[in-house]
């Protein structure tokens, strides 16, 4: 199975009367990636299907209104029972239904307003029960204004200051900061006194017209009204619920049908209709060819022409990655960076292997690895999180390396009896042992060199396949770079081992010549292609190429050293766990398990996250940047989105 | 005064722990309405109980400010009431402060023929002060004022200062006389006969120095008064600005020179250590310096007197900052314009 799904370009043509049936088949096939047909044919003449009004839009909007206003949830369902119904009839039905629901809802809203006013009045009247006077009589006073409300206690103490003013204030009840009361003022002085009370932060309360009699009487009447309002609201809610209960199944079927037909109709935008004939273009996976054609058996007026996917240069084929079960979750990282081109290289397997191994090495602990695995199981199965499946894999890797390091939740000697039985000479390879530190760092660089050479090799192969000779042969990530970098590394290793292989022919042939190839990569590439090289001026070309090559050489060194972080994290993990162990030993018996648990959680949370990010960084910057051109676009078969507009 | 009042010190430390931090001020300054500020303050443990029972949606800006200002005295009474310090000398200094502030406010209203003193009158202090606050707010003439202050030491102080030719009360000498009385009473407290009082004395004289600097700055900078006129209004106490050091500053010709001279003074150098740059907004910068002094004094304090004095200054500054922010929001200032106005 190719790692990038092979596609077939499909051209569909038929009589325009069959366009809806065709679009429906395309939607139901689940494997058709539609393209805009105008991309192939250029400008169109004649009838444009997209200008037609979508007949399903009106009923769909109503159904969605019902969904949002009345908290109805739709799920895709078989709608064959309502398939034969005319759209106009459906529209009339849902319109009638929403009007019925809205009218009950309007009544409920009015009752709620009525209730809210009475509840507010009750809370205010509670403060006025000390006043045994009929409100209406008060409000009908001809020469005196009456103002109910509350005044801050501090302001109340300032009232004696205004003894010379003509008003009378009395209060009936007290709150923390306020006194509830009323002031009376002759009409002629109302303006001045109102201003005084305003400046004293008096908050006026408007007693509603429906409050009749004394405060106590009014409160009893209003309480009765509140009970009645609440009963009415319950009754209206029941009416709404009953309607929805009776119509739920039907609504669900209607929504499934209308939404499907609406979404299929929208696809008309992608089609071209000329002289009563439509034309649709798109891609399907090559392996689906037969099944796809079978769908159209009964639609005889429609003809289907299949072509190789890269037949039309204007339409690059969409990308569907084929990954095995192990590497599948890591496609998330690849998609995060961008999809490969159709003839490119699918790096998911490479990411899966390198990510799993590097994470395990850098975060090696048997106990913590198992915990990460279990968290992964939980996230993947219970929460359906894609990250969970990655956790499962890196957890196992971490556990395996933890076993090699002999570390279980930071305890370095818990596995000693097992190693005694196994009797393997290099086990356990204690990462916390400082004698191993240099070996770990050298091994980290070794891994880095291997990964870099491998990445350059992949670039050479993909470059040759895509006829990018400059990149494949003469660039820093091409053959020249491979020879140069490989020769430098091999030479340095030989010097370290005491048998230097550096010699004049070695240096000239494997180091100087590749550098010159990199320097002259553009003219050399043109030479291979049979083109004539053109540069603005030799000086400009030389200066640009010099700095580029200089940057390449620096890049080899810095990128190689970048892998030291693998060793660094192996050591830091061991050191952090030894700190946890030291803290544990410094506390009393009962607190030891608490320190171990908190310490492990801290290390797992903090270091686990950092290692996860660092490995991803290595993947993206040290590996992907050498060969990966993320210029692909995803394969998205047409479907109906039921989750839309909740 | 000799009794150990560690409970009070601990209580103050706990209250100081709940002070507003820069991030709280950022939050306050970013609000656009008084109701939002009220809601935000309610979320803070140190303000939730002070704003209990208020309706954020209807609260008036002035009322919120009054409640915050009142909280200064609530906190003060809470602290000194904790171990019944109210009966001991010195601790009534906040009441003295309040009495003098209200008398000076009353004089300003009398001189301006305004009857609005009542609006901001702290009637909640009526039972603590030595005269009737409501009667003070009613005073419209010097005679009314003297009548209200009858039987208080303030009457004689004011009576000794002749009216100005315009018939108005001479504000500057009156202010000086009242503040003299305040500091004499404060520093004359038996507490200052004790050895450990030197730190508090130094803090108070520093305050006096900085108050003198600011009064001099206003007179020189805004009214172009001469050095001898300035000298007449200065409080006759000195801290670090001894031996003509203060005169050297206020002998400046204008406010730019004043700030330059201040920058080279003892306090100018201390400000530099705190990263405060003296500028034309010298009032704000000296307040910031006083705030820093009080902060250090509280942190180092092992005496209840010092703790109460420094903490009350810090808390009052916090309240003033909130009031400044509320006023600034009312005038539509942005967060970036409000924050530089605060004393932190």
């Amino acid at each position: 199975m190719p790692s990038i799904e092979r596609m077939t370009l499909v051209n569909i043509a038929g009589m325009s009367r069959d366009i809806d049936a065709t679009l429906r088949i395309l939607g139901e096939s689940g494997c058709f990636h539609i393209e805009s047909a105008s991309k192939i044919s250029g400008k169109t003449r004649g009838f444009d299907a997209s200008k037609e009004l979508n007949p399903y839009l009106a009923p769909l909007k109503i159904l969605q209104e019902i969904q949002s206003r009345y908290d109805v949830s739709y799920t895709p369902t078989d709608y064959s029972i309502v398939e034969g119904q005319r759209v106009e009839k459906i529209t009339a039905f849902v319109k009638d239904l929403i009007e019925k629901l809205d009218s009950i809802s309007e009544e409920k809203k009015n009752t709620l307003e009525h209730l809210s006013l009475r509840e507010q009045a009750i809370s205010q009247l509670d403060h006025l029960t000390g006043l045994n006077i009929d409100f209406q009589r008060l409000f009908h006073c001809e020469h005196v204004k009456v103002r109910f409300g509350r005044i801050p206690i501090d302001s109340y103490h300032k009232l004696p200051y205004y003894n010379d003013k003509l008003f009378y204030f009395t209060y009936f009840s007290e709150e923390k900061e306020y006194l509830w009361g009323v002031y009376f003022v002759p009409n002629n002085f109302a303006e001045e006194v109102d201003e005084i009370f305003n400046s004293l932060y008096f908050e006026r309360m408007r007693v509603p017209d429906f409050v009749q009699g004394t405060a106590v009487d009014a409160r009893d009447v209003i309480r009765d009204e509140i009970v009645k309002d609440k009963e009415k609201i319950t009754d209206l809610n029941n009416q709404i619920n009953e309607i929805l209960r009776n119509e739920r199944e039907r609504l669900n079927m209607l929504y499934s049908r209308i939404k499907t037909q609406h979404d299929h109709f929208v696809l008309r935008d992608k089609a071209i209709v000329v002289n009563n004939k439509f034309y649709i273009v798109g891609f399907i996976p090559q392996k689906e060819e037969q099944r796809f054609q079978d769908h159209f058996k009964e639609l005889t007026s429609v003809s289907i022409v299949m072509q190789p996917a890269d037949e039309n240069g204007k339409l690059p084929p969409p990308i569907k990655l084929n990954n095995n079960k192990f590497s599948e979750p890591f496609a998330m990282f690849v998609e995060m960076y961008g999809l490969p081109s159709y003839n490119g290289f699918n790096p998911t397997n490479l990411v899966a292997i390198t990510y799993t191994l590097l994470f395990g090495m850098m975060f090696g602990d048997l106990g913590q690895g198992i915990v990460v695995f279990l968290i992964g199981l939980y996230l993947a199965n219970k929460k359906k999180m894609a990250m969970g499946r990655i956790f499962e894999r890196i957890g196992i890797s971490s556990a395996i390396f933890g076993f090699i390091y002999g570390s279980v939740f930071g305890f370095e000697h818990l596995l000693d009896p097992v190693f005694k039985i196994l009797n393997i000479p290099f086990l356990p390879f204690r990462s916390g042992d400082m004698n191993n530190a240099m070996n770990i760092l050298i091994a980290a660089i070794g891994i880095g060199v291997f990964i870099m050479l491998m990445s350059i090799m992949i670039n050479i192969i993909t470059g040759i396949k895509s006829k990018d000779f400059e990149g494949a042969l003469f660039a820093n990530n091409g053959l020249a770079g491979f020879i140069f970098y490989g020769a430098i590394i091999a030479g340095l290793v030989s010097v370290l081992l005491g048998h230097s292989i550096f010699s004049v022919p070695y240096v000239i042939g494997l180091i100087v010549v590749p550098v010159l190839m990199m320097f002259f990569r553009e003219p050399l590439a043109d030479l291979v292609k049979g083109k004539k090289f053109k540069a603005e001026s030799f000086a400009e070309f030389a200066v640009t190429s010099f700095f580029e090559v200089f940057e390449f050489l620096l890049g080899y060194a810095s990128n190689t050293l970048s892998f030291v972080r693998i060793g660094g994290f192996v050591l830091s993990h061991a050191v952090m766990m030894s700190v946890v162990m030291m803290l544990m030993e410094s506390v009393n018996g009962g607190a030891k398990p608490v320190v171990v648990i908190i310490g492990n959680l801290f290390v797992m949370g903090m270091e686990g996250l950092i290692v996860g990010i660092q490995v991803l960084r290595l993947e993206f910057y040290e590996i992907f940047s050498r060969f990966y051109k993320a210029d692909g676009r995803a394969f998205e078969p047409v479907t109906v989105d039921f989750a839309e507009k909740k | 005064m000799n009794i150990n009042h560690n409970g009070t010190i601990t209580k103050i430390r706990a209250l100081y722990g709940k002070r507003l931090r820069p991030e709280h001020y950022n939050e306050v300054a970013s609000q656009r309405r008084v109701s939002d500020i009220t809601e935000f303050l309610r979320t803070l443990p140190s303000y939730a109980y002070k704003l209990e029972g208020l309706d954020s949606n209807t609260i008036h800006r002035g009322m919120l400010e009054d409640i915050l200002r009142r909280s200064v005295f609530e906190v003060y009474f809470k602290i000194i009431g904790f171990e019944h310090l109210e009966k001991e000398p010195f601790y009534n200094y906040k009441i003295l402060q309040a009495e003098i502030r209200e008398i000076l406010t009353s004089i300003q209203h009398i001189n301006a023929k305004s009857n609005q003193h009542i609006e901001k009158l702290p009637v909640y202090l009526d039972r603590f002060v030595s005269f009737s606050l409501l009667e003070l707010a009613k005073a419209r003439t010097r005679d009314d004022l003297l009548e209200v202050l009858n039987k208080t030491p303030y009457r004689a102080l004011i009576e000794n200062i002749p009216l100005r030719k315009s018939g108005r009360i001479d504000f500057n000498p009156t202010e000086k006389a009242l503040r003299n009385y305040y500091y004499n009473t404060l520093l004359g407290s038996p507490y200052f006969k004790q050895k450990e009082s030197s730190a508090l004395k130094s803090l108070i004289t520093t305050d006096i120095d900085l108050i003198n600097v600011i009064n001099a700055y206003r007179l020189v900078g805004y009214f172009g008064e001469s050095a001898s006129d300035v000298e007449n209004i200065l409080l006759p106490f000195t801290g670090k600005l001894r031996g003509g050091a203060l005169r050297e500053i206020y002998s400046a010709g204008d406010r730019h020179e004043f700030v330059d001279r201040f920058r080279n003074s003892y306090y100018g150098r201390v400000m530099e250590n705190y990263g405060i740059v003296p500028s034309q907004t010298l009032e704000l910068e000296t307040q910031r310096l006083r705030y820093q002094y009080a902060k250090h004094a509280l942190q180092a304090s092992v005496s209840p007197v010092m703790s109460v004095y420094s903490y009350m200054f810090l808390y009052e500054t916090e309240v003033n900052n909130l009031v400044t922010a509320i006023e600034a929001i009312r005038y539509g200032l942005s967060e970036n314009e409000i924050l530089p106005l605060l004393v932190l």
Side-chain angles (χ1 to χ4, degrees), chain A residues 154 158 161 177 201 203, chain B residues 58 62 70 118-119 121 140:
Chain A
D154 281 347
K158 290 180 185 175
Y161 177 87
E177 282 285 341
Y201 314 125
E203 287 173 30
Chain B
T58 58
R70 192 183 69 197
I118 184 72
E119 286 177 10
L121 196 74
R140 296 286 175 268

Side-chain angles (χ1 to χ4, degrees), chain A residues 93-107:
Chain A
F93 167 73
V94 289
K95 208 171 161 188
D96 187 45
L97 187 72
I98 200 168
E99 277 172 6
K100 207 189 285 176
L101 288 167
D102 282 353
S103 100
I104 301 171
S105 182
E106 184 65 26
E107 200 179 341

Side-chain angles (χ1 to χ4, degrees), chain A residues 464-580:
Chain A
I464 290 171
K465 265 172 76 179
S466 62
K467 295 179 182 159
D468 171 19
F469 295 113
E470 183 189 329
L473 302 177
F474 310 117
N476 60 326
N477 291 321
L479 187 62
F482 187 85
I483 296 170
F484 170 81
Y485 183 63
I488 292 275
I489 295 293
L492 287 176
V493 171
S494 72
V495 171
L496 285 174
L497 295 175
H499 302 285
S500 173
I501 54 172
F502 282 120
S503 62
V504 175
Y506 184 91
V507 171
I508 292 174
L510 300 179
I511 296 173
V512 177
V513 171
V515 170
L516 289 173
M517 281 165 76
M518 285 188 250
F519 189 88
F520 292 106
R521 65 192 187 287
E522 284 177 33
L524 285 171
D526 284 349
L527 194 71
V528 173
K529 287 182 205 160
K531 277 200 225 164
K532 200 179 172 192
F533 176 68
K534 275 182 193 167
E536 292 274 321
S537 74
F538 179 76
E540 192 187 319
F541 163 77
V543 170
T544 313
S545 289
F546 172 79
F547 282 109
E548 279 175 354
V549 170
F550 186 68
E551 199 187 321
F552 292 160
L553 303 185
L554 275 182
Y556 288 127
S558 63
N559 293 344
T560 309
L561 288 175
S562 183
F563 282 89
V564 173
R565 80 187 67 214
I566 300 174
F569 275 99
V570 175
L571 297 174
S572 87
H573 185 73
V575 171
M576 282 177 85
M577 287 320 299
S578 72
V579 171
V580 173

Side-chain angles (χ1 to χ4, degrees), chain A residues 395-637:
Chain A
I396 292 173
S397 170
S398 169
I400 293 170
F401 278 97
F403 179 77
I404 294 170
Y405 301 154
S407 175
V408 186
F409 290 122
F411 293 97
E412 299 286 330
H413 295 283
L414 215 62
L415 293 173
D416 283 359
V418 181
F419 291 126
K420 245 182 198 171
I421 296 166
L422 290 174
N423 197 21
I424 300 172
F426 61 85
L427 286 182
F429 180 81
R430 299 207 187 279
S431 55
D433 186 344
M434 283 304 128
N435 295 328
N436 288 333
M438 191 47 79
N439 292 335
I440 290 170
L441 294 176
I442 290 171
I445 291 184
I447 292 166
V449 169
F450 174 75
I451 289 176
M452 281 174 63
L453 286 171
M454 184 179 64
S455 306
I456 296 174
M457 185 56 84
I458 295 170
N459 187 52
I460 295 170
I461 296 166
T462 52
I464 290 171
K465 265 172 76 179
S466 62
K467 295 179 182 159
D468 171 19
F469 295 113
E470 183 189 329
L473 302 177
F474 310 117
N476 60 326
N477 291 321
L479 187 62
F482 187 85
I483 296 170
F484 170 81
Y485 183 63
I488 292 275
I489 295 293
L492 287 176
V493 171
S494 72
V495 171
L496 285 174
L497 295 175
H499 302 285
S500 173
I501 54 172
F502 282 120
S503 62
V504 175
Y506 184 91
V507 171
I508 292 174
L510 300 179
I511 296 173
V512 177
V513 171
V515 170
L516 289 173
M517 281 165 76
M518 285 188 250
F519 189 88
F520 292 106
R521 65 192 187 287
E522 284 177 33
L524 285 171
D526 284 349
L527 194 71
V528 173
K529 287 182 205 160
K531 277 200 225 164
K532 200 179 172 192
F533 176 68
K534 275 182 193 167
E536 292 274 321
S537 74
F538 179 76
E540 192 187 319
F541 163 77
V543 170
T544 313
S545 289
F546 172 79
F547 282 109
E548 279 175 354
V549 170
F550 186 68
E551 199 187 321
F552 292 160
L553 303 185
L554 275 182
Y556 288 127
S558 63
N559 293 344
T560 309
L561 288 175
S562 183
F563 282 89
V564 173
R565 80 187 67 214
I566 300 174
F569 275 99
V570 175
L571 297 174
S572 87
H573 185 73
V575 171
M576 282 177 85
M577 287 320 299
S578 72
V579 171
V580 173
M581 291 297 116
M582 275 162 63
L583 284 173
M584 179 199 73
E585 277 159 23
S586 68
V587 296
N588 292 331
K592 285 183 194 295
V594 179
V595 172
V596 172
I597 291 169
I598 293 175
N600 269 280
L601 286 175
F602 176 75
V603 173
M604 281 166 67
M606 194 184 85
E607 211 197 333
L609 182 71
I610 295 173
V611 168
I613 292 168
Q614 287 297 332
V615 179
L616 197 60
R617 185 209 167 280
L618 284 176
E619 297 286 347
F620 284 175
Y621 289 98
E622 312 302 349
I623 303 179
F624 276 24
S625 63
R626 299 199 176 276
F627 64 83
Y628 193 53
K629 290 181 193 70
D631 51 4
R633 61 203 177 94
F635 173 74
E636 287 168 345

Side-chain angles (χ1 to χ4, degrees), chain A residues 133-145:
Chain A
I133 299 175
D134 185 332
F135 283 109
Q136 292 312 311
R137 278 184 60 203
L138 276 182
F139 292 129
H140 283 101
C141 288
E142 213 173 304
H143 303 290
V144 175
K145 297 274 183 207

